[in-house]
Coordinates of all heavy atoms in Angstrom, one line a residue:
M1 N 128.5 165.2 153.5 CA 129.5 165.9 152.7 C 130.8 165.3 153.2 O 131.9 165.4 152.4 CB 129.4 167.4 153.1 CG 128.1 168.0 152.5 SD 127.9 167.7 150.8 CE 129.4 168.6 150.0
A2 N 131.0 164.8 154.4 CA 132.3 164.2 154.9 C 132.7 163.1 154.0 O 133.9 162.9 153.7 CB 132.3 163.9 156.3
Y3 N 131.7 162.2 153.6 CA 132.1 161.2 152.8 C 132.5 161.5 151.5 O 133.5 161.0 150.8 CB 130.9 160.2 152.7 CG 130.5 159.5 154.0 CD1 129.4 159.9 154.7 CD2 131.4 158.6 154.5 CE1 129.1 159.3 155.9 CE2 131.1 158.0 155.7 CZ 129.9 158.3 156.4 OH 129.6 157.8 157.6
L4 N 131.9 162.6 150.9 CA 132.4 163.2 149.6 C 133.8 163.8 149.7 O 134.7 163.5 148.9 CB 131.5 164.3 149.2 CG 130.2 163.8 148.5 CD1 129.4 165.1 148.2 CD2 130.3 163.0 147.2
C5 N 134.1 164.4 150.8 CA 135.5 165.0 151.1 C 136.4 163.9 151.2 O 137.6 164.0 150.5 CB 135.3 165.9 152.3 SG 136.9 166.7 152.6
L6 N 136.2 162.9 152.0 CA 137.1 161.8 152.1 C 137.4 161.1 150.8 O 138.5 160.8 150.4 CB 136.5 160.7 153.1 CG 136.7 160.9 154.6 CD1 135.9 159.9 155.3 CD2 138.2 160.9 155.0
S7 N 136.4 160.8 149.9 CA 136.4 160.3 148.7 C 137.2 161.1 147.7 O 138.1 160.5 147.0 CB 135.0 159.9 148.2 OG 135.1 159.5 146.8
T8 N 136.9 162.3 147.6 CA 137.5 163.2 146.6 C 139.0 163.6 147.0 O 139.9 163.5 146.1 CB 136.6 164.5 146.4 OG1 135.3 164.1 146.1 CG2 137.2 165.4 145.4
A9 N 139.1 164.0 148.2 CA 140.5 164.5 148.6 C 141.5 163.4 148.9 O 142.6 163.5 148.7 CB 140.3 165.4 149.8
W10 N 141.0 162.3 149.5 CA 141.9 161.2 150.0 C 141.7 159.9 149.4 O 142.3 158.9 149.7 CB 141.9 161.1 151.5 CG 142.5 162.4 152.2 CD1 143.8 162.7 152.3 CD2 141.7 163.5 152.8 NE1 143.9 163.9 152.9 CE2 142.8 164.4 153.2 CE3 140.4 163.8 152.8 CZ2 142.4 165.6 153.8 CZ3 140.1 165.0 153.5 CH2 141.0 165.9 153.9
N11 N 140.7 159.8 148.4 CA 140.4 158.5 147.8 C 140.0 157.4 148.9 O 140.4 156.3 148.6 CB 141.5 158.0 146.9 CG 141.0 157.1 145.8 OD1 139.8 157.1 145.4 ND2 141.8 156.1 145.5
K12 N 139.4 157.9 149.9 CA 138.9 156.9 150.9 C 137.4 156.7 150.9 O 136.7 157.8 151.0 CB 139.4 157.4 152.4 CG 140.8 157.3 152.7 CD 141.1 157.7 154.1 CE 142.5 157.3 154.4 NZ 142.7 156.7 155.7
V13 N 137.0 155.6 150.7 CA 135.6 155.4 150.6 C 135.0 154.7 151.8 O 135.1 153.5 152.0 CB 135.3 154.4 149.3 CG1 133.8 154.1 149.1 CG2 135.9 155.0 148.1
E14 N 134.5 155.5 152.7 CA 133.9 155.1 154.0 C 132.3 155.1 153.9 O 131.8 154.6 154.8 CB 134.4 155.9 155.0 CG 136.0 156.1 155.2 CD 136.4 154.5 155.5 OE1 135.8 153.8 156.2 OE2 137.6 154.3 155.2
G15 N 131.8 155.7 152.9 CA 130.4 155.8 152.8 C 130.0 156.4 151.5 O 130.8 157.1 150.8
I16 N 128.6 156.5 151.2 CA 128.0 157.1 150.0 C 127.8 158.6 150.4 O 127.1 158.9 151.4 CB 126.8 156.4 149.5 CG1 127.0 155.0 149.1 CG2 126.2 157.2 148.4 CD1 125.9 154.2 148.7
G17 N 128.3 159.5 149.6 CA 128.0 160.9 149.7 C 126.5 161.2 149.3 O 126.3 161.0 148.1
V18 N 125.8 161.4 150.2 CA 124.3 161.7 150.0 C 123.9 163.1 150.1 O 123.9 163.6 151.2 CB 123.3 160.8 150.7 CG1 121.9 161.1 150.4 CG2 123.6 159.2 150.3
D19 N 123.6 163.8 149.1 CA 123.2 165.2 149.1 C 121.7 165.3 148.8 O 121.0 164.1 148.7 CB 124.0 166.0 148.3 CG 124.0 165.6 146.8 OD1 123.2 164.8 146.4 OD2 124.8 166.1 146.1
V20 N 121.1 166.5 148.6 CA 119.7 166.6 148.4 C 119.3 165.9 147.0 O 118.2 165.3 146.9 CB 119.1 168.0 148.4 CG1 119.2 168.5 149.8 CG2 119.9 168.9 147.4
H21 N 120.2 165.9 146.0 CA 119.8 165.3 144.7 C 119.8 163.7 144.9 O 118.9 163.1 144.4 CB 120.9 165.6 143.7 CG 121.1 167.0 143.5 ND1 120.1 167.7 142.8 CD2 122.1 168.0 143.6 CE1 120.5 169.0 142.6 NE2 121.7 169.1 143.2
I22 N 120.8 163.1 145.5 CA 120.8 161.7 145.7 C 119.5 161.3 146.5 O 118.8 160.4 146.2 CB 122.0 161.2 146.4 CG1 123.3 161.7 145.7 CG2 122.0 159.7 146.6 CD1 123.5 161.3 144.3
H23 N 119.2 162.1 147.6 CA 118.1 161.8 148.4 C 116.8 161.8 147.6 O 116.0 160.9 147.7 CB 118.1 162.7 149.6 CG 116.9 162.6 150.4 ND1 116.6 161.5 151.2 CD2 115.9 163.5 150.7 CE1 115.5 161.7 152.0 NE2 115.0 162.9 151.7
R24 N 116.6 162.8 146.8 CA 115.4 163.0 146.1 C 115.3 161.9 144.9 O 114.3 161.3 144.9 CB 115.4 164.3 145.4 CG 114.2 164.7 144.5 CD 114.4 166.0 143.8 NE 115.5 166.1 142.8 CZ 116.6 166.8 143.1 NH1 116.8 167.3 144.2 NH2 117.5 166.7 142.0
I25 N 116.3 161.8 144.2 CA 116.2 160.8 143.0 C 116.0 159.4 143.5 O 115.1 158.7 142.9 CB 117.6 160.8 142.2 CG1 117.8 162.2 141.6 CG2 117.6 159.7 141.1 CD1 119.1 162.5 141.1
T26 N 116.8 158.9 144.5 CA 116.6 157.5 144.9 C 115.2 157.3 145.5 O 114.7 156.1 145.4 CB 117.7 157.1 145.9 OG1 117.8 157.9 146.9 CG2 119.1 157.1 145.1
N27 N 114.7 158.3 146.2 CA 113.3 158.1 146.7 C 112.3 158.1 145.5 O 111.3 157.4 145.5 CB 112.9 159.2 147.7 CG 113.4 158.8 149.1 OD1 112.7 158.1 149.9 ND2 114.5 159.2 149.6
R28 N 112.5 159.0 144.6 CA 111.6 159.1 143.5 C 111.5 157.7 142.7 O 110.5 157.2 142.3 CB 111.9 160.2 142.5 CG 111.5 161.5 142.9 CD 111.9 162.6 142.0 NE 111.4 163.9 142.3 CZ 111.7 165.1 141.7 NH1 112.6 165.1 140.7 NH2 111.2 166.2 142.2
L29 N 112.7 157.2 142.5 CA 112.9 155.9 141.8 C 112.4 154.7 142.6 O 112.2 153.6 142.1 CB 114.4 155.6 141.4 CG 114.7 156.5 140.2 CD1 116.3 156.5 140.1 CD2 114.1 156.0 139.0
G30 N 112.2 155.0 143.8 CA 111.7 153.8 144.8 C 112.8 152.9 145.3 O 112.6 151.8 145.7
W31 N 114.0 153.3 145.1 CA 115.2 152.6 145.6 C 115.2 152.5 147.1 O 115.7 151.6 147.7 CB 116.5 153.0 145.0 CG 116.6 152.9 143.5 CD1 115.7 152.3 142.7 CD2 117.7 153.4 142.8 NE1 116.2 152.4 141.4 CE2 117.4 153.0 141.4 CE3 118.9 154.1 143.0 CZ2 118.2 153.3 140.3 CZ3 119.7 154.3 142.0 CH2 119.3 153.9 140.7
V32 N 114.8 153.7 147.7 CA 114.7 153.8 149.1 C 113.4 154.5 149.5 O 112.8 155.0 148.6 CB 115.9 154.6 149.7 CG1 117.2 153.9 149.5 CG2 115.9 156.0 149.1
N33 N 113.0 154.4 150.7 CA 111.8 155.1 151.2 C 112.2 155.7 152.5 O 112.0 155.2 153.5 CB 110.7 154.1 151.4 CG 109.4 154.8 151.9 OD1 109.3 156.1 151.7 ND2 108.4 154.1 152.2
T34 N 112.7 156.9 152.3 CA 113.4 157.6 153.5 C 113.0 159.1 153.6 O 112.5 159.6 152.6 CB 115.0 157.5 153.4 OG1 115.3 158.0 152.1 CG2 115.4 156.0 153.6
K35 N 113.2 159.5 154.8 CA 112.8 161.0 155.1 C 114.0 161.9 155.1 O 113.8 163.2 155.0 CB 112.1 161.0 156.4 CG 110.7 160.2 156.4 CD 109.7 160.8 155.5 CE 108.4 160.1 155.8 NZ 107.6 160.1 154.6
T36 N 115.1 161.4 155.3 CA 116.3 162.3 155.4 C 117.5 161.8 154.6 O 117.6 160.5 154.4 CB 116.9 162.4 156.9 OG1 117.3 161.1 157.3 CG2 115.7 162.9 157.8
P37 N 118.3 162.7 154.2 CA 119.6 162.2 153.5 C 120.4 161.2 154.3 O 120.9 160.3 153.7 CB 120.4 163.5 153.2 CG 119.3 164.5 153.1 CD 118.3 164.2 154.2
E38 N 120.5 161.4 155.5 CA 121.3 160.3 156.3 C 120.7 159.0 156.3 O 121.4 158.0 156.2 CB 121.4 160.9 157.8 CG 122.1 160.0 158.7 CD 123.7 159.7 158.3 OE1 124.2 160.3 157.4 OE2 124.2 158.9 158.9
A39 N 119.3 158.9 156.4 CA 118.6 157.7 156.3 C 118.8 157.1 154.9 O 118.9 155.9 154.7 CB 117.2 157.8 156.6
T40 N 118.9 157.9 153.9 CA 119.0 157.4 152.6 C 120.4 156.8 152.4 O 120.5 155.9 151.8 CB 118.9 158.7 151.6 OG1 117.5 159.1 151.7 CG2 119.1 158.2 150.1
R41 N 121.4 157.6 153.0 CA 122.8 157.0 152.9 C 122.9 155.5 153.6 O 123.4 154.7 152.9 CB 123.8 158.0 153.7 CG 125.2 157.5 153.6 CD 126.1 158.2 154.5 NE 125.7 158.2 156.0 CZ 126.1 157.2 156.8 NH1 126.8 156.1 156.2 NH2 125.8 157.1 158.0
I42 N 122.3 155.4 154.7 CA 122.3 154.1 155.4 C 121.6 153.1 154.5 O 122.1 151.9 154.3 CB 121.7 154.2 156.7 CG1 122.6 155.2 157.6 CG2 121.6 152.8 157.3 CD1 122.0 155.6 158.9
A43 N 120.4 153.5 153.9 CA 119.7 152.4 153.1 C 120.4 152.1 151.7 O 120.4 151.0 151.4 CB 118.3 153.1 152.7
L44 N 121.1 153.2 151.2 CA 121.8 152.9 150.0 C 123.0 152.0 150.2 O 123.3 151.1 149.4 CB 122.2 154.2 149.3 CG 121.0 154.9 148.6 CD1 121.5 156.3 148.2 CD2 120.4 154.1 147.4
Q45 N 123.6 152.2 151.3 CA 124.8 151.3 151.7 C 124.5 149.9 151.9 O 125.2 149.1 151.6 CB 125.6 152.0 152.8 CG 126.3 153.3 152.5 CD 127.0 154.0 153.6 OE1 127.5 155.0 153.5 NE2 127.0 153.3 154.8
E46 N 123.3 149.7 152.3 CA 122.7 148.4 152.5 C 122.3 147.8 151.2 O 122.4 146.5 151.0 CB 121.6 148.3 153.5 CG 122.0 148.6 154.9 CD 120.7 148.8 155.8 OE1 119.6 148.5 155.4 OE2 120.9 149.1 157.0
L47 N 122.0 148.6 150.2 CA 121.4 148.2 149.0 C 122.5 148.0 147.9 O 122.5 147.0 147.1 CB 120.5 149.3 148.4 CG 119.7 149.0 147.1 CD1 118.8 147.9 147.3 CD2 118.9 150.2 146.7
L48 N 123.5 148.9 147.9 CA 124.6 148.8 146.9 C 125.9 148.3 147.3 O 126.3 148.4 148.4 CB 124.8 150.2 146.4 CG 123.5 151.0 145.8 CD1 123.9 152.5 145.7 CD2 123.2 150.4 144.5
P49 N 126.5 147.6 146.3 CA 127.8 147.1 146.7 C 128.9 148.2 146.9 O 128.8 149.2 146.3 CB 128.3 146.3 145.6 CG 127.4 146.7 144.4 CD 126.2 147.3 145.0
R50 N 129.8 147.9 147.9 CA 130.8 149.0 148.1 C 131.5 149.5 146.9 O 132.0 150.6 146.8 CB 131.8 148.5 149.3 CG 132.5 149.5 149.9 CD 133.5 148.9 151.0 NE 134.2 149.9 151.8 CZ 133.8 150.4 152.9 NH1 132.7 149.8 153.6 NH2 134.5 151.3 153.5
S51 N 131.7 148.7 145.8 CA 132.4 149.0 144.7 C 131.8 150.2 143.9 O 132.6 150.9 143.2 CB 132.6 147.8 143.8 OG 131.3 147.4 143.4
V52 N 130.5 150.5 144.2 CA 129.9 151.6 143.5 C 129.6 152.9 144.3 O 129.1 153.8 143.9 CB 128.6 151.2 142.8 CG1 128.8 150.0 141.9 CG2 127.5 150.8 143.8
W53 N 130.0 152.8 145.6 CA 129.8 153.9 146.5 C 130.5 155.1 146.1 O 129.9 156.3 146.0 CB 130.4 153.6 147.9 CG 129.4 152.6 148.6 CD1 128.5 151.8 148.2 CD2 129.5 152.2 150.0 NE1 127.9 151.0 149.1 CE2 128.6 151.2 150.4 CE3 130.5 152.6 150.9 CZ2 128.5 150.7 151.6 CZ3 130.4 152.0 152.3 CH2 129.3 151.1 152.6
Q54 N 131.7 155.0 145.5 CA 132.5 156.3 145.2 C 131.9 156.9 143.9 O 131.7 158.2 143.9 CB 133.9 156.0 145.0 CG 134.8 157.2 144.8 CD 136.3 156.9 144.9 OE1 136.6 155.8 144.5 NE2 137.0 157.9 145.4
P55 N 131.6 156.2 142.9 CA 131.0 157.0 141.6 C 129.6 157.2 141.7 O 129.0 157.9 140.9 CB 131.3 155.9 140.5 CG 131.3 154.5 141.2 CD 131.9 154.9 142.6
F56 N 128.9 156.7 142.8 CA 127.5 156.9 142.8 C 127.0 158.4 142.9 O 126.2 158.8 142.1 CB 126.9 156.1 144.0 CG 125.4 155.9 144.0 CD1 124.8 155.1 143.1 CD2 124.6 156.7 144.8 CE1 123.4 154.9 143.1 CE2 123.2 156.6 144.8 CZ 122.6 155.7 144.0
N57 N 127.7 159.2 143.7 CA 127.2 160.6 143.8 C 127.5 161.3 142.6 O 126.6 162.1 142.1 CB 128.0 161.2 145.1 CG 127.6 162.7 145.2 OD1 128.0 163.5 144.4 ND2 126.8 163.0 146.2
P58 N 128.7 161.4 141.9 CA 128.9 162.1 140.7 C 128.0 161.7 139.7 O 127.6 162.6 138.9 CB 130.4 161.9 140.4 CG 131.0 161.3 141.7 CD 129.9 160.7 142.5
L59 N 127.7 160.4 139.6 CA 126.7 160.0 138.5 C 125.4 160.5 138.6 O 124.7 161.0 137.7 CB 126.6 158.4 138.5 CG 127.8 157.7 137.9 CD1 127.6 156.2 138.2 CD2 128.0 158.0 136.4
L60 N 124.8 160.6 139.8 CA 123.5 161.0 140.0 C 123.3 162.5 140.1 O 122.2 163.0 139.9 CB 122.9 160.3 141.2 CG 122.0 159.0 140.8 CD1 123.0 157.9 140.3 CD2 121.2 158.5 142.0
V61 N 124.2 163.2 140.6 CA 124.1 164.7 140.8 C 123.8 165.4 139.5 O 122.9 166.2 139.4 CB 125.4 165.3 141.5 CG1 125.3 166.8 141.4 CG2 125.4 164.8 143.0
G62 N 124.6 165.0 138.5 CA 124.4 165.7 137.2 C 122.9 165.4 136.7 O 122.2 166.2 136.2
F63 N 122.5 164.2 136.9 CA 121.2 163.7 136.5 C 120.1 164.5 137.2 O 119.1 164.9 136.6 CB 121.0 162.2 136.8 CG 119.7 161.7 136.5 CD1 119.1 161.7 135.3 CD2 118.9 161.1 137.5 CE1 117.9 161.1 135.0 CE2 117.7 160.6 137.3 CZ 117.2 160.6 136.0
G64 N 120.3 164.8 138.5 CA 119.6 165.6 139.4 C 119.4 167.0 139.0 O 118.4 167.7 139.2
Q65 N 120.5 167.5 138.4 CA 120.5 168.9 138.1 C 119.9 169.2 136.7 O 119.4 170.2 136.5 CB 122.0 169.4 138.1 CG 122.6 169.5 139.4 CD 124.1 169.8 139.5 OE1 124.9 169.4 138.4 NE2 124.6 170.4 140.6
S66 N 120.0 168.1 135.8 CA 119.5 168.4 134.5 C 118.2 167.7 134.2 O 117.5 168.3 133.3 CB 120.6 167.9 133.5 OG 120.9 166.5 133.7
I67 N 117.9 166.5 134.6 CA 116.7 165.8 134.3 C 115.7 165.6 135.5 O 114.7 166.2 135.5 CB 117.1 164.4 133.8 CG1 118.0 164.5 132.5 CG2 115.7 163.7 133.5 CD1 117.3 165.1 131.3
C68 N 116.2 165.0 136.5 CA 115.4 164.7 137.7 C 115.5 166.0 138.7 O 116.0 165.8 139.8 CB 115.7 163.4 138.3 SG 114.4 162.8 139.5
R69 N 115.1 167.2 138.1 CA 115.3 168.3 138.9 C 114.3 168.3 140.0 O 113.2 167.8 140.1 CB 115.1 169.6 138.0 CG 116.0 169.5 136.8 CD 115.7 170.6 135.9 NE 114.2 170.7 135.4 CZ 113.8 171.5 134.4 NH1 114.7 172.3 133.8 NH2 112.6 171.4 134.0
P70 N 114.7 169.2 141.2 CA 113.7 169.3 142.3 C 112.3 169.6 142.0 O 111.4 169.2 142.4 CB 114.4 170.3 143.2 CG 115.8 170.4 142.7 CD 115.9 169.9 141.3
V71 N 112.3 170.7 141.1 CA 110.9 171.3 140.7 C 110.9 171.1 139.2 O 111.8 171.5 138.5 CB 110.8 172.7 141.1 CG1 109.5 173.3 140.5 CG2 110.9 172.9 142.6
G72 N 109.9 170.5 138.7 CA 109.8 170.3 137.3 C 110.6 169.3 136.7 O 111.5 169.6 135.6
P73 N 110.7 168.1 137.1 CA 111.6 167.1 136.6 C 111.2 166.8 135.2 O 109.9 166.9 134.8 CB 111.4 165.8 137.5 CG 110.0 166.0 138.1 CD 109.9 167.5 138.2
K74 N 112.2 166.6 134.3 CA 111.9 166.4 132.9 C 111.6 164.8 132.6 O 112.4 164.2 132.0 CB 113.1 166.8 132.0 CG 113.4 168.3 132.1 CD 114.6 168.6 131.3 CE 114.9 170.2 131.2 NZ 116.0 170.4 130.4
C75 N 110.6 164.4 133.2 CA 110.3 163.0 133.0 C 110.1 162.5 131.6 O 110.4 161.4 131.2 CB 109.0 162.7 133.9 SG 109.1 163.0 135.6
G76 N 109.6 163.5 130.8 CA 109.5 163.1 129.4 C 110.8 162.8 128.7 O 110.8 162.1 127.6
D77 N 111.9 163.4 129.2 CA 113.2 163.1 128.6 C 114.0 162.1 129.3 O 115.1 161.8 128.9 CB 114.0 164.5 128.7 CG 113.4 165.5 127.7 OD1 112.8 165.2 126.8 OD2 113.6 166.7 128.0
C78 N 113.5 161.6 130.3 CA 114.2 160.7 131.3 C 114.1 159.3 130.7 O 113.0 158.7 130.4 CB 113.6 160.8 132.6 SG 114.5 159.6 133.8
L79 N 115.3 158.7 130.6 CA 115.3 157.3 130.1 C 114.7 156.2 131.1 O 114.6 155.1 130.8 CB 116.9 156.9 129.9 CG 117.5 157.7 128.7 CD1 118.9 157.3 128.5 CD2 116.7 157.5 127.4
C80 N 114.5 156.8 132.3 CA 114.0 155.8 133.4 C 112.4 155.9 133.5 O 111.8 155.3 134.4 CB 114.5 156.1 134.7 SG 116.4 156.1 134.8
N81 N 111.9 156.7 132.6 CA 110.4 157.0 132.9 C 109.5 155.9 132.7 O 108.4 155.8 133.2 CB 109.9 158.2 132.0 CG 110.0 157.9 130.6 OD1 110.0 156.8 130.3 ND2 110.0 159.0 129.8
D82 N 110.0 154.8 132.2 CA 109.1 153.6 132.0 C 109.2 152.7 133.2 O 108.4 151.7 133.3 CB 109.4 152.8 130.8 CG 110.8 152.3 130.6 OD1 111.7 153.0 131.3 OD2 111.2 151.4 129.9
I83 N 110.3 152.9 134.1 CA 110.3 152.1 135.3 C 110.2 152.8 136.6 O 110.2 152.3 137.6 CB 111.6 151.3 135.3 CG1 112.8 152.3 135.2 CG2 111.8 150.3 134.2 CD1 114.1 151.6 135.5
C84 N 110.0 154.2 136.5 CA 110.0 155.1 137.7 C 108.7 155.2 138.2 O 107.8 155.7 137.5 CB 110.7 156.5 137.3 SG 110.6 157.5 138.7
P85 N 108.4 154.9 139.5 CA 107.1 155.0 140.0 C 106.6 156.5 140.2 O 105.5 156.7 140.4 CB 107.2 154.3 141.4 CG 108.7 154.3 141.7 CD 109.4 154.2 140.4
S86 N 107.6 157.4 140.1 CA 107.3 158.8 140.4 C 107.2 159.6 138.9 O 107.0 160.8 138.9 CB 108.3 159.5 141.1 OG 108.5 158.8 142.3
A87 N 107.3 158.8 137.9 CA 107.3 159.5 136.6 C 106.0 160.2 136.3 O 104.9 159.7 136.6 CB 107.5 158.5 135.4
N88 N 106.1 161.4 135.9 CA 104.9 162.2 135.5 C 105.0 162.6 134.2 O 105.4 163.8 133.7 CB 104.9 163.5 136.5 CG 103.6 164.3 136.3 OD1 102.7 163.9 135.7 ND2 103.6 165.5 136.9
I89 N 104.6 161.7 133.3 CA 104.9 162.0 131.7 C 103.5 162.2 131.2 O 103.5 162.6 130.0 CB 105.5 160.7 131.0 CG1 104.7 159.5 131.3 CG2 107.0 160.7 131.4 CD1 105.3 158.3 130.5
K90 N 102.4 162.2 131.9 CA 101.1 162.6 131.4 C 101.2 164.0 130.9 O 100.5 164.3 129.9 CB 99.9 162.4 132.3 CG 99.6 160.9 132.6 CD 98.5 160.7 133.4 CE 98.2 159.2 133.6 NZ 97.1 158.9 134.6
K91 N 101.6 165.0 131.8 CA 101.7 166.3 131.4 C 102.7 166.6 130.2 O 102.6 167.5 129.4 CB 102.3 167.2 132.6 CG 101.3 167.3 133.7 CD 101.9 168.0 134.8 CE 100.9 168.0 136.1 NZ 101.5 168.6 137.2
E92 N 103.6 165.6 130.0 CA 104.6 165.8 128.9 C 104.4 164.7 127.8 O 105.3 164.3 127.2 CB 106.0 165.8 129.4 CG 106.2 166.8 130.5 CD 107.7 166.7 131.0 OE1 108.5 166.1 130.3 OE2 107.9 167.0 132.2
S93 N 103.2 164.0 127.8 CA 103.1 162.8 127.1 C 103.5 162.9 125.6 O 104.1 162.0 125.1 CB 101.7 162.2 127.3 OG 100.8 163.2 126.8
G94 N 103.0 164.0 125.0 CA 103.5 164.2 123.6 C 104.9 164.2 123.4 O 105.4 163.5 122.5
K95 N 105.7 164.7 124.3 CA 107.1 164.8 124.2 C 107.7 163.3 124.3 O 108.5 163.0 123.6 CB 107.6 165.7 125.2 CG 109.1 166.2 125.0 CD 109.4 167.2 126.0 CE 110.8 167.8 125.7 NZ 111.1 168.9 126.8
A96 N 107.2 162.8 125.4 CA 107.7 161.4 125.6 C 107.4 160.5 124.5 O 108.3 159.7 124.2 CB 107.1 160.9 127.0
K97 N 106.2 160.4 124.1 CA 105.9 159.6 123.1 C 106.7 159.8 121.7 O 107.1 158.9 121.1 CB 104.4 159.6 122.8 CG 103.5 159.0 123.9 CD 102.1 159.1 123.6 CE 101.2 158.5 124.8 NZ 99.9 158.8 124.6
S98 N 106.8 161.0 121.3 CA 107.6 161.3 120.1 C 109.0 160.8 120.3 O 109.6 160.3 119.3 CB 107.4 162.8 119.8 OG 108.1 163.5 120.8
K99 N 109.5 161.0 121.5 CA 111.0 160.5 121.6 C 111.0 159.0 121.5 O 112.0 158.4 120.9 CB 111.6 160.9 122.9 CG 111.9 162.4 123.0 CD 112.9 162.7 124.2 CE 113.7 163.8 123.8 NZ 115.0 163.6 123.7
K100 N 110.1 158.2 122.0 CA 110.1 156.8 122.0 C 110.0 156.3 120.6 O 110.5 155.2 120.4 CB 109.2 156.2 123.1 CG 109.6 156.5 124.5 CD 108.7 155.8 125.4 CE 109.3 156.0 126.9 NZ 108.4 155.4 127.9
K101 N 109.2 156.9 119.8 CA 109.0 156.4 118.5 C 110.2 156.6 117.5 O 110.3 155.9 116.6 CB 107.7 157.1 117.8 CG 106.5 156.7 118.4 CD 105.3 157.5 117.8 CE 104.0 157.0 118.4 NZ 102.9 157.9 117.9
Q102 N 111.1 157.4 117.9 CA 112.3 157.6 117.0 C 113.2 156.5 117.1 O 113.3 155.7 117.8 CB 113.0 158.9 117.5 CG 112.2 160.1 117.3 CD 112.9 161.4 117.8 OE1 113.9 161.2 118.5 NE2 112.3 162.5 117.6
Ligands
SF4_201 S1 111.0 159.6 135.5 FE1 110.8 161.7 136.4 S2 110.9 161.5 138.6 FE2 111.5 159.5 137.6 S3 113.8 159.6 137.7 FE3 113.1 160.3 135.7 S4 112.9 162.6 135.9 FE4 113.0 161.6 138.0

């Protein structure tokens, strides 16, 4: 949260703000394999160029609230479901298939 505060209030980018959404989504996508948000922050900072650290949190939080939700992620509606190792579209396969045919 300190990194988010620094970034938002003072436009200082010292690290990626990793909350539970960022931690969950990046682990589901297989970008990191971590147990804690702090470990995720460190892994993401090694993975991503500093130029994307600031917009990274706002971009993914909305996605985590609307699509890649903690419980019942909407994998059938997710544009990443063909590359995501955690995609669970079998339960929603009809919905996913019909969207892809359009
Ligand atoms: S496919 Fe499912 S688990 Fe993977 S990023 Fe999308 S919503 Fe999340």
Side-chain angles (χ1 to χ4, degrees):
M1 292 309 292
Y3 293 110
L4 281 176
C5 185
L6 277 172
S7 171
T8 303
W10 291 282
N11 200 32
K12 288 190 171 217
V13 182
E14 300 297 330
I16 297 175
V18 174
D19 56 17
V20 291
H21 297 294
I22 307 298
H23 176 63
R24 177 183 68 257
I25 295 166
T26 54
N27 271 279
R28 282 179 175 171
L29 284 165
W31 294 355
V32 297
N33 182 11
T34 55
K35 299 289 185 208
T36 66
E38 178 62 9
T40 299
R41 181 187 66 79
I42 293 166
L44 286 173
Q45 288 178 186
E46 291 173 4
L47 184 68
L48 299 170
R50 198 177 181 100
S51 60
V52 303
W53 287 10
Q54 190 170 29
F56 194 74
N57 179 287
L59 281 172
L60 265 68
V61 167
F63 177 63
Q65 292 170 334
S66 59
I67 301 292
C68 194
R69 303 177 305 191
V71 177
K74 296 179 175 179
C75 297
D77 292 336
C78 179
L79 297 177
C80 303
N81 66 22
D82 56 339
I83 59 168
C84 178
S86 305
N88 185 8
I89 55 174
K90 286 185 179 174
K91 291 179 184 173
E92 305 175 27
S93 59
K95 196 172 181 182
K97 285 178 183 172
S98 65
K99 279 199 159 239
K100 288 185 176 180
K101 286 180 181 175
Q102 291 175 356

